[in-house]
């Protein structure tokens, strides 16, 4: 029996789910082509867009603190040999990171890009940071899923801790960059 006969999805939908690389392309496929908007409508939408949230940066910084705390708990558990705690802590870390990334993607990056739409250098900088962070997040999620499914044990803890420290170093640099440069673009 073929998979197409089991799954009752139209071939066009199956094709789109596997071949569209951007969210815009998927949105267009699902909801139809966007109507061409007048310049006046586009200008109004740009002015309305995502509104400034005076609490957003505080929330993102609190997320960073929470991620550091969970990360430290994971590392401590591995170091002292409490391997049973690691899968639940990795799941907690993964969820906290994903929630943080969604907030950044939906509120922070969009707002910065719309408010700096005329500044190509800033827009390119933010686009690069967003792409880089999404790549980091994918690597962290993959790591978390790997060790949630097959938790480290005494014989594999050195490899786990080494990989965890590498991830930690990347995340620390990223947090420093966000808090020193990216968030200042939001606060302008």
């Amino acid at each position: 029996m073929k998979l197409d006969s089991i799954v009752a999805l139209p071939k066009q939908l199956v094709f789109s789910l596997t071949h569209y690389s951007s969210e815009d392309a998927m949105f267009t496929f699902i909801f139809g082509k966007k109507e061409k908007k007048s310049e006046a409508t586009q200008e109004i939408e740009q002015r309305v867009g995502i509104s400034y949230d005076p609490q957003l940066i505080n929330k993102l910084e609190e997320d960073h603190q929470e991620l550091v705390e969970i990360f430290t708990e994971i590392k401590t558990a591995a170091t002292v040999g409490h391997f049973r705690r690691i899968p639940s802590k990795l799941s907690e870390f993964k969820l906290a990171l994903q929630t943080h990334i969604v907030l950044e993607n939906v509120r922070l990056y969009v707002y910065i890009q719309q408010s700096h739409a005329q500044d190509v250098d800033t827009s390119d900088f933010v686009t690069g940071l967003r792409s880089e962070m999404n790549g980091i997040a994918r690597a962290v999620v993959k790591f978390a899923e790997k060790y949630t499914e097959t938790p480290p044990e005494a014989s594999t803890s050195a490899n786990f801790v080494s990989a965890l420290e590498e991830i930690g170093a990347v995340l620390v640099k990223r947090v420093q960059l966000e808090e020193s440069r990216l968030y200042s673009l939001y606060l302008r």
Side-chain angles (χ1 to χ4, degrees), residues 3-162:
L3 182 61
D4 326 340
S5 61
I6 296 171
V7 179
L9 294 174
K11 288 184 190 266
Q12 187 180 14
L13 178 59
V14 172
F15 176 82
S16 71
L17 292 173
T18 58
H19 290 84
Y20 282 116
S21 60
S22 75
E23 293 173 20
D24 283 344
M26 180 59 79
F27 181 90
T28 301
F29 172 76
I30 292 171
F31 296 105
K33 293 192 180 223
K34 298 176 185 174
E35 291 182 28
K36 186 150 180 133
K37 298 174 184 169
S38 71
E39 286 182 35
T41 302
Q42 290 175 8
E43 186 178 321
I44 290 169
E45 286 181 353
Q46 282 181 336
R47 279 188 274 145
V48 175
I50 298 291
S51 60
Y52 179 80
D53 177 357
Q55 300 304 313
L56 180 62
I57 299 303
N58 289 336
K59 170 64 176 127
L60 293 171
E61 289 174 341
E62 288 171 9
D63 287 355
H64 289 162
Q65 289 302 312
E66 178 186 10
L67 288 164
V68 167
E69 289 170 15
I70 300 167
F71 184 88
T72 302
E73 291 174 13
I74 295 167
K75 188 172 178 183
T76 301
T79 304
V80 299
H82 294 160
F83 302 115
R84 288 188 210 161
R85 293 195 72 216
I86 292 173
S88 65
K89 285 293 166 187
L90 283 171
S91 293
E92 183 181 351
F93 186 78
K94 179 179 118 178
L95 179 61
L97 180 64
Q98 289 173 319
T99 302
H100 178 77
I101 298 301
V102 167
L103 185 60
E104 281 185 343
N105 280 333
V106 171
R107 301 295 314 245
L108 178 72
Y109 292 118
V110 172
Y111 179 84
I112 292 172
Q113 287 181 308
Q114 79 186 18
S115 64
H116 295 278
Q118 304 304 317
D119 182 350
V120 175
D121 292 335
T122 299
S123 187
D124 289 348
F125 172 70
V126 172
T127 299
L129 289 178
R130 184 180 197 174
S131 176
E132 179 184 85
M133 188 62 230
N134 287 332
I136 292 168
R138 279 190 296 277
V140 171
V141 166
K142 188 175 178 180
F143 171 83
E145 289 173 347
K146 174 183 177 181
Y147 286 104
T148 299
E149 291 174 15
T150 309
E153 47 193 47
S155 63
T156 61
S157 67
N159 290 338
F160 174 79
V161 170
S162 175

